Every structure is written in structure tokens, then in C-alpha cells.
Amino acid sequence: MQRFVNDPSMAVEDMLVGFLKSHGDLVEGTENPRVLKSRTAPVKGRVGIVTGGGSGHKPAFIGYLGRNLVDAVAVGEIFSSPTAKAFYDAFAAADGGAGVACLYGNYAGDNMNVKMARELAEEDGIRVMTVVANDDVPSAPKGEEKKRRGVAGEIFMWKAGGAKAALGGSLEEVIAAAQKAVDNTRSVGVGLTPCTIPAVGKPNFAIEPGTMEVGIGHHGEPGIAVTDLTSADEVAKSMVDIVLPDLPFKEGDEVAVLLSGLGATPVMELYILYGRMAALLEEKGLTIHRSYVGNYFTSLEMMGATLTVMKLDDELKELIDFEAESMGLTQFGR
Amino acid sequence: MNSFANRDGAVVVREMIRVIGENRAYLSEIDGAIGDGDHGVNMDKGFSLCLSRVDWETADFTTAMKTLSRILLMEIGGSMGPIYGTFFDQIAKGAKDRERIDGSAFSAMLGSAASEIEKLGGAVRGDKTLLDSLLPAVEAFDASFEETGDFAKALTALQAAAEEGRESTRDMVARVGRASRLGERSRGVLDAGATSCCLLLNSMAESVKELLKEE
């Protein structure tokens, strides 16, 4: 294993040490070593934004802690849900008295732990409402959207929810905005190589050289098809062709686009893909209002990329354009 | 005897810790076929923490079960933390304030453990989860105990049904959890949760049978 680790079972702990040292201007630890919070949180009277999930997706999830984004994060083992206790402590860390919006991805473990944490929080008088991201198109057929997992589209959900909270939205309004972001967002992933959890020591799936797995999940969940690895332009087209018909996105729509690497793909190649994707979207009559290209939501050292497209209306445009400051995403207002 | 003393029962938990430790690699290997291969690692992490947290000199059945439950719920996470945490929490609750645990108390504990897990995860029988081992095991225990009134015999029936249930997952397609993303590709291998559940039920049954013999 060509990896920088000490004791592989302590990889998450060791990573958190470095993260806190490096980004102490934005984030801080809490009493629970598996809960990090934004330095700006909680703000009295403002809805708190909480997320959480397994580790191995840097900058997600802790990289989105910061101003007008996420207030507290529950940190899990690699690819494994945080505990109910961590979610509960994150709710407490984010609560400014106006309730907490827990915005997370659709995975069995996260669903259970959030459910238990929410019951604990309610006993303590903290109001918690949830939005569950399910943007990954290939993970379940149309009509069964509730079964789909959440992937990089979660970033748009946090962005919308965080901005709405910063604008003074009530818990119901923040939840509605985050849900609207999810409902208008679709994603697809393509994997070129597998990834290895350090404590396991070997990849638990394979992608043969010369092939690619279309629809792969960002823990390596198998996709819908294994095909020959073709040119970047052709890969770009097949990804766009999966995402656009599902919502569907139509001529005249304004969109935000996020193309994230899965960890080991050179950013240069993401731009090669993006150039073609942008051209294809424009050919279909879509207007790209904002785009993000880089490693926004990764899967350890997997090679591959996730394309995420969100359809915008005036409200979502305002929220996506709202200024924000975090390790993973910093932008100035427009 | 047809019951065991709560104060002697911590050994049931200590044996489960040993069994999970011995099967750490096996469980991860099964999980690796259709999951991400960390089931044995995560289970062993929680169970071995329990080994050092319980005072085995003084702990009774209730305390040991409660400690195990708290560790899984508070420190393990994933899917298995809440599921097994809930399982052992229900067993601890059912044993609370009981000096002796007999077949009907054991039946009630298992029954509430199974129904709380069903509520939590939303899975049903046939979804290729630990319920496919747990539910038949609970039913077999109840049926046998009702018929014979013999705690030990009912435990033997539970063991056989748990194993049969575990084997039944081999031919199932996963409908919940991470393996469900595989669809048909999840057929042909055992479910890791059903496998660990069967190991735990077997271990509990063996330990309790020993306790019943001793008295």
C-alpha cells in the first residue's frame, strides 16, 4: 500500500489533528473528538447547519465547515457512518436556539444514526429537521428516487441551506431551501480505479485497466455498466447523457455545475472533461450560471469523477451566489 | 435448572467478545464480497473495547449487556453500531432487576430486540439482512419453549434456525443497506450482518446452556 499512514486504524484521528492545526482560523474541535464545528457557530437565533458521514471524502465533510455554510460535522470512520452520539453532539454544537437542519446523504447507517440522535436531541429540547440528499442518478431507477444515494450534490444542499440560514430563514425555510436544492440536483460518477481503506489494506473491488465503471458510487458501490475507457470527450458525453434526461433539464434552464474528482484523477483531466461537458450543456440550450471544478467530494484515492448539475430558480441562484468561507469552498458574493 | 442467575451471566458477553475477535477476518472477508470489507474490523473494535470496560469480577448479565450496548451505540457508528447497540440494549432492559432469567424472560428480550431493530432500520424479512437470521431464531425459540417449556432445548432450536436463516441469505438479493446497490450481483454470497448475528446468537445460546447445566 503506497500510502501515508501511521496506524491504519487511527487514520481518521491522525487526519483530524492535521486538519485542526491547518484550519484553526475556520474550525475548532469540541469535547467530542469526532465532532468539529465552525468557529462562527453557533449564532444566537440562527438555524444551525449540521452534516456528517464517513471519512475518506475530503474536503467533505469537515472542509465545508465555515461561514455561511456548515456549522458542525459528525465525523465517522472511513466510509462508515458517525455514531448517533456524534450527530447528537453536532446538533448541540450548532444549535443557536432556532433549531438545527441536519443535511446529509442517503445511506443506511447515517439514516439510523441521525434518527437516534434526533430522538435524543428532541428530548433535550433541540429541534432538528432533516434533508436527505439523493442526487446520484444511477443508484436507483427513476420513480425510486428515495432509494438513491447522496453524492457531490450534497455540497449544493449545504450551500443553499447555509445561505438560507445566514439570511435569517426559519428552520422550515432552511429545510425547504435545502430540499429544493436536492430536488433540482442530479449527479453521476465514473470510476477508473478502485480505492483502498487503509485498515482493510486492499481494494475490495476491481476495475480492469482499459475499462471504466459508469455510475460508480463514491464508496465504490458498483455502477450500472462497465465499458471500455474511451476518450475524455466521449466520457463527458455519456455522463451528461445520464444526468440531463433524469430531472429533466430543459432548454432555457439556468444551472450550476460541479465536477469533482474522486481523489486521484489529476485536476488537469477534470478540466479536459469539463470543457466538453460545458459545450454539451450549452448545445442543449442550458446556461451555466456558476461552475465548480476540482476535488470537492472524493473517494480516497479512486480515479474518476462525479458530475453534478443543479437547476436554478431565482431563490437557488441567490443562495448559490451567497458569499461563503470554508476550506473546501470560498466565494465572494455577486 | 431452567433459568440462570443474572449475577453469573456476564460470561455470556465475554464469550461473544471472544467469538467476534476470532471471526474478525472472516466477517470482513464476507463483507468484502458485497460491502466494503470492514464489518469484522468494526465489530471487533466495539466488542474488544467492551472487554476492557467491564469489571468481570463484579459485573452481572445486565451490566455487561448494557456496557456492550452503550459502546456500540456511542462509539462505533456505521450501521452495525446502532443495530447491535439496540439489540443488546433491549436485552439489558429485559434483564434489568431480574435476579434470575428464565425462558420466558429470554423470549421477551429477544422479541423486543428484534422488533426494535425492525423499526430502526426499516428492513423486512427477505431483504438479506441480519433479520433473516434473527427473526427465524426468535420464532424457533418461542415455538420450542412453548411446546416443551425447556429453556435449553429452545436454545438448541434457536441455534439451528439462526444457522438456517444465515444460509438462506446466500440466495437473496439485498434490498437495504449498501449491498442493495448491487442488485442481482449481491446474490450468491452470505450477508455479513446475518453471519455475525448467527455467530452472536450461537455464542449466547452455548453460554446460557452452560449456565443452565451448572446449576
Side-chain angles (χ1 to χ4, degrees), chain A residues 246-279:
Chain A
D246 194 82
L247 190 60
F249 295 87
K250 301 185 306 289
E251 192 173 345
D253 285 347
E254 279 189 278
V255 294
V257 184
L258 185 151
L259 180 65
S260 178
L262 287 176
T265 285
V267 174
M268 185 180 105
E269 293 173 24
L270 296 177
Y271 283 109
I272 294 175
L273 282 175
Y274 184 72
R276 185 66 199 145
M277 286 170 170

Side-chain angles (χ1 to χ4, degrees), chain A residues 155-166:
Chain A
I155 295 165
F156 286 154
M157 168 176 72
W158 301 324
K159 184 74 191 70
K164 194 73 184 181

Side-chain angles (χ1 to χ4, degrees), chain A residues 85-329:
Chain A
K85 175 84 162 63
F87 275 111
Y88 169 78
D89 288 342
F91 296 161
D95 182 38
V100 171
C102 180
L103 315 177
Y104 69 102
N106 188 24
Y107 295 93
D110 294 321
N111 285 328
M112 281 187 272
N113 286 299
V114 168
K115 186 173 169 183
M116 298 179 83
R118 201 177 158 181
E119 284 166 15
L120 289 173
E122 269 158 21
E123 283 171 24
D124 289 353
I126 303 175
R127 261 184 90 209
V128 179
M129 292 176 76
T130 59
V131 176
V132 186
N134 57 338
D135 52 303
D136 189 21
V137 173
S139 53
K142 198 154 177 67
E144 295 180 36
E145 282 89 349
K146 287 243 176 301
K147 288 188 181 168
R148 290 177 175 174
R149 55 194 176 233
V151 287
E154 291 181 40
I155 295 165
F156 286 154
M157 168 176 72
W158 301 324
K159 184 74 191 70
K164 194 73 184 181
L167 287 163
S170 67
L171 181 55
E172 284 73 14
E173 287 165 341
V174 170
I175 290 292
Q179 186 66 56
K180 188 199 250 186
V182 168
D183 290 344
N184 286 284
T185 298
R186 295 292 186 276
S187 298
V188 61
V190 166
L192 306 185
T193 61
C195 60
T196 296
I197 297 173
V200 175
K202 57 176 176 17
N204 49 41
F205 63 103
I207 300 173
E208 294 303 318
T211 68
M212 63 177 181
E213 186 147 343
V214 179
I216 197 165
H218 64 192
H219 310 94
E221 296 95 332
I224 43 175
V226 175
T227 62
D228 287 342
L229 175 55
T230 50
S231 70
D233 281 358
E234 285 172 71
V235 176
K237 182 174 187 310
S238 63
M239 292 173 83
V240 166
D241 285 347
I242 288 170
V243 166
L244 292 195
D246 194 82
L247 190 60
F249 295 87
K250 301 185 306 289
E251 192 173 345
D253 285 347
E254 279 189 278
V255 294
V257 184
L258 185 151
L259 180 65
S260 178
L262 287 176
T265 285
V267 174
M268 185 180 105
E269 293 173 24
L270 296 177
Y271 283 109
I272 294 175
L273 282 175
Y274 184 72
R276 185 66 199 145
M277 286 170 170
L280 287 165
L281 296 178
E282 282 157 4
E283 274 171 30
K284 306 258 183 198
L286 305 182
T287 304
I288 300 171
H289 175 72
R290 233 180 214 283
S291 59
Y292 303 86
V293 178
N295 286 314
Y296 285 93
F297 206 128
T298 63
S299 180
L300 294 173
E301 86 289 22
M302 206 192 292
M303 288 191 129
T306 312
L307 170 66
T308 300
V309 184
M310 176 166 72
K311 179 178 166 169
L312 299 169
D313 63 4
D314 288 344
E315 184 190 22
L316 287 176
K317 223 195 273 185
E318 181 192 13
L319 299 175
I320 214 75
D321 285 343
F322 200 75
E323 66 177 34
E325 185 183 14
S326 70
M327 173 259 139
L329 177 66

Side-chain angles (χ1 to χ4, degrees), chain B residues 59-121:
Chain B
D60 59 10
F61 183 78
T62 308
T63 315
M65 284 291 180
K66 191 169 175 187
T67 307
L68 179 59
S69 157
R70 284 288 165 275
I71 291 168
L72 294 173
L73 283 173
M74 297 303 182
E75 298 176 49
I76 295 306
S79 299
M80 287 304 142
I83 288 173
Y84 281 126
T86 299
F87 182 80
F88 295 119
D89 180 49
Q90 290 300 318
I91 290 181
K93 277 188 181 141
K96 196 171 169 248
D97 300 331
R98 274 178 197 279
E99 212 170 289
R100 300 196 67 83
I101 291 147
D102 59 14
S104 3
F106 197 76
S107 160
M109 287 171 199
L110 286 181
S112 64
S115 67
E116 286 302 312
I117 291 175
E118 283 182 290
K119 267 193 254 169
L120 177 67

